Amino acid sequence: MKMLMITAPSSGSGKTLITLGLIRALKKRKIDVCGYKTGPDYIDTSFLGKASGKRPGNLDIHLMGVDGIKSAIAMGDGEYGIIEGAMGYFDGIYNTFENSSFDISKKLDVNAVLIYTPGGEMFSVIPKIKGMVDFEGSKIKGVILNKVTKAMYILLKEQIEKYVGIKVLGFVEKDSELDIESRHLGLIQTEELENIEDIIEKASIHIEKSVDIDEIMKLMKVVEVPKFIYPRKRDITVAVAYDKAFSFYYIENLKLLENTCNVVYFSPLKDKELPSCDLLYLGGGYPEVFKDELSKNKSMLKSIKTFAEDGGYIYGECGGFMYLVRDIEGSEMCNIFKGSSTMTNRLQRFGYINIELLKDCMLGEKGDILNANEFHKSITNIDGEEIYRIKKPIGKRSWSCGYEYKNVLAGYPHIHFFSNMKAFNYLLDNVENNMER
């Protein structure tokens, strides 16, 4: 696959819209392109999927390992891949560039295009861009100026190319119609935006009009990755909750399940009951936003509760965990765990974590370490034993989470199976062995 990364000095620089516009512009040229996102994000990836018409992937060294990001590329569906970088190009774990977009582009040997949005500056743009381009190992090979007039673009282009020695590939003018609404955990989901197609289409028109797509194509480099071999097929049916309330999944996790098990998707919001299954996977999302609708679907709540009481296997992450408690701010949920979830006005947990299992459970044996990620503003108080000891990869902060009830396991962390394949197989082994009894 030929690949290119779109990056920026910081968040809020316009990477997402320019990436969406570029992907759609390439698609309109009949180029077989798919999207990827660095980092643990599961919201921006859905926008990349809308632009390309293909399921997007994540590239994250902490969650997946270097071999894992290569496997994600091997899973990709396209001859070309556009990677949207997370945060600033060099922003990694803690105060390092480890696992940053820079780190990933260097390890994959992928060229990057820098999106730069000037803010109350002129020539000061040049040394800032030069510092990022000249940093040892930097893969930045081109610049796109964002939210500038054509006149300003012409002025800056001359000086950037003269003093930095890098091509300025074009510009995008400021356009308020390209704004995408945000929510407390990031952008509004694509499923909730009626005008998302209009936004992507307009972004692509901007790109086609004032960005040199042919030069961008020349910067794309082949990334050689080994073919991904899926684990053995199992006669297990997995029900995956997927709708506006539950959509935070890593695509690679879903592809692993789809190629090793029988997967059925359902909506806790709209469907009347849980489909027949051996394992229920409740991913993250916005159950707090749709808590009243979820609460009104009494037959679904009852069927999941019954499934749990009958020994059915359930694995829940973050929003899925919240759905399994007694209530979210007074709105009745599945009542499998005796506790309540409430929202706060700030992030409670954010970023990469490592989980140590304090006892044997469906994800592994006591002492196993799982790489994971947490991102939530809610607090959930459960009357029960915690079985995850959680630590940050760098630093001394630690806390506990993770709860069991019969064959139900849930907590706030999101895991990616690529760096936790032992946990993936251990989970399916548990379900399979239970079916044989």
Side-chain angles (χ1 to χ4, degrees), residues 345-404:
N345 59 7
R346 64 181 180 85
L347 282 170
Q348 297 298 315
R349 304 290 183 206
F350 172 75
Y352 299 114
I353 57 173
N354 293 324
I355 303 169
E356 179 186 356
L357 300 181
L358 298 177
K359 59 180 289 189
D360 293 354
C361 65
M362 70 171 69
L363 289 180
E365 300 169 307
K366 179 180 179 180
D368 284 353
I369 304 295
L370 308 179
N371 293 353
N373 173 65
E374 273 196 49
F375 191 84
H376 57 93
K377 281 190 171 182
S378 64
I379 295 174
T380 301
N381 296 307
I382 300 292
D383 181 16
E385 178 188 11
E386 294 153 327
I387 65 168
Y388 297 164
R389 178 182 289 122
I390 299 174
K391 295 182 179 180
K392 299 293 286 183
I394 298 176
K396 298 181 179 179
R397 282 185 293 163
S398 66
W399 60 94
S400 298
C401 187
Y403 301 89
E404 276 188 314

Side-chain angles (χ1 to χ4, degrees), residues 128-192:
K128 291 179 181 179
I129 293 176
K130 185 172 178 61
M132 297 187 72
V133 171
D134 290 349
F135 190 86
E136 184 178 357
S138 174
K139 305 295 293 183
I140 296 172
K141 304 297 181 185
V143 179
I144 295 173
L145 296 173
N146 188 36
K147 296 184 179 179
V148 297
T149 62
K150 185 175 181 179
M152 188 175 184
Y153 159 72
I154 292 171
L155 289 173
L156 289 175
K157 173 181 170 66
E158 180 183 1
Q159 299 293 59
I160 292 169
E161 292 184 345
K162 177 179 178 180
Y163 288 98
V164 183
I166 194 171
K167 285 188 176 182
V168 180
L169 302 167
F171 71 103
V172 175
E173 293 184 277
K174 182 174 175 60
D175 187 340
S176 60
E177 292 185 11
L178 294 181
D179 293 339
I180 300 176
E181 294 179 68
S182 294
R183 186 179 276 147
H184 53 275
L185 295 183
L187 297 176
I188 296 288
Q189 300 173 100
T190 55
E191 294 87 350
E192 299 176 68

Side-chain angles (χ1 to χ4, degrees), residues 53-71:
K54 296 174 180 288
R55 298 171 83 182
N58 280 83
L59 305 177
D60 189 294
I61 296 173
H62 177 77
L63 288 180
M64 307 161 71
V66 174
D67 288 341
I69 64 176
K70 292 180 179 178
S71 293

Side-chain angles (χ1 to χ4, degrees), residues 22-256:
L22 177 59
I23 289 174
R24 179 58 61 85
L26 292 173
K27 184 181 178 184
K28 288 196 287 190
R29 288 189 174 198
K30 308 300 182 184
I31 291 170
D32 186 16
V33 61
C34 61
Y36 292 89
K37 174 76 177 184
T38 68
D41 190 283
Y42 19 63
I43 300 177
D44 285 4
T45 50
S46 64
F47 285 89
L48 300 177
K50 283 285 185 183
S52 67
K54 296 174 180 288
R55 298 171 83 182
N58 280 83
L59 305 177
D60 189 294
I61 296 173
H62 177 77
L63 288 180
M64 307 161 71
V66 174
D67 288 341
I69 64 176
K70 292 180 179 178
S71 293
I73 293 169
M75 273 186 177
D77 180 20
E79 296 179 14
Y80 294 83
I82 300 295
I83 306 167
E84 181 192 350
M87 301 174 65
Y89 185 50
F90 298 98
D91 297 327
I93 296 177
Y94 196 58
N95 191 28
T96 74
F97 59 66
E98 180 183 341
N99 196 38
S100 64
S101 298
F102 159 73
D103 195 17
I104 292 171
S105 68
K106 191 169 64 167
K107 285 184 168 63
L108 293 177
D109 192 23
V110 169
N111 288 334
V113 170
L114 181 72
I115 309 303
Y116 195 94
T117 304
E121 55 190 341
M122 283 298 292
F123 193 83
S124 292
V125 166
I126 282 75
K128 291 179 181 179
I129 293 176
K130 185 172 178 61
M132 297 187 72
V133 171
D134 290 349
F135 190 86
E136 184 178 357
S138 174
K139 305 295 293 183
I140 296 172
K141 304 297 181 185
V143 179
I144 295 173
L145 296 173
N146 188 36
K147 296 184 179 179
V148 297
T149 62
K150 185 175 181 179
M152 188 175 184
Y153 159 72
I154 292 171
L155 289 173
L156 289 175
K157 173 181 170 66
E158 180 183 1
Q159 299 293 59
I160 292 169
E161 292 184 345
K162 177 179 178 180
Y163 288 98
V164 183
I166 194 171
K167 285 188 176 182
V168 180
L169 302 167
F171 71 103
V172 175
E173 293 184 277
K174 182 174 175 60
D175 187 340
S176 60
E177 292 185 11
L178 294 181
D179 293 339
I180 300 176
E181 294 179 68
S182 294
R183 186 179 276 147
H184 53 275
L185 295 183
L187 297 176
I188 296 288
Q189 300 173 100
T190 55
E191 294 87 350
E192 299 176 68
L193 291 171
E194 295 181 358
N195 65 335
I196 185 58
E197 275 296 327
D198 294 337
I199 292 173
I200 294 173
E201 185 61 26
K202 189 155 190 178
S204 73
I205 292 170
H206 276 281
I207 296 295
E208 291 168 323
K209 175 184 174 183
S210 55
V211 173
D212 193 336
I213 297 176
D214 291 332
E215 282 298 317
I216 285 177
M217 293 291 293
K218 291 177 184 178
L219 291 175
M220 300 182 79
K221 296 179 65 175
V222 174
V223 177
E224 298 285 356
V225 294
K227 181 179 179 181
F228 183 74
I229 307 298
Y230 285 96
R232 68 179 177 87
K233 186 76 175 178
R234 299 170 186 253
D235 188 20
I236 293 173
T237 298
V238 182
V240 178
Y242 206 103
D243 56 20
K244 291 188 294 185
F246 303 98
S247 65
F248 295 175
Y249 295 92
Y250 296 119
I251 294 300
E252 296 79 22
N253 284 355
L254 297 182
K255 287 182 176 179
L256 275 171

Side-chain angles (χ1 to χ4, degrees), residues 318-348:
C318 202
F321 165 50
M322 295 167 66
Y323 184 55
L324 293 172
V325 304
R326 182 183 63 244
D327 68 89
I328 298 177
E329 298 185 323
S331 295
E332 180 186 349
M333 295 294 130
C334 294
N335 197 28
I336 292 170
F337 296 112
K338 307 305 178 185
S340 179
S341 288
T342 56
M343 299 304 297
T344 71
N345 59 7
R346 64 181 180 85
L347 282 170
Q348 297 298 315

Side-chain angles (χ1 to χ4, degrees), residues 243-284:
D243 56 20
K244 291 188 294 185
F246 303 98
S247 65
F248 295 175
Y249 295 92
Y250 296 119
I251 294 300
E252 296 79 22
N253 284 355
L254 297 182
K255 287 182 176 179
L256 275 171
L257 288 170
E258 289 168 354
N259 284 275
T260 56
C261 304
N262 307 305
V263 173
V264 291
Y265 291 94
F266 75 102
S267 170
L269 284 169
K270 297 180 179 179
D271 293 333
K272 295 303 181 185
E273 60 183 22
L274 180 67
S276 177
C277 65
D278 307 300
L279 169 65
L280 167 58
Y281 183 15
L282 290 166

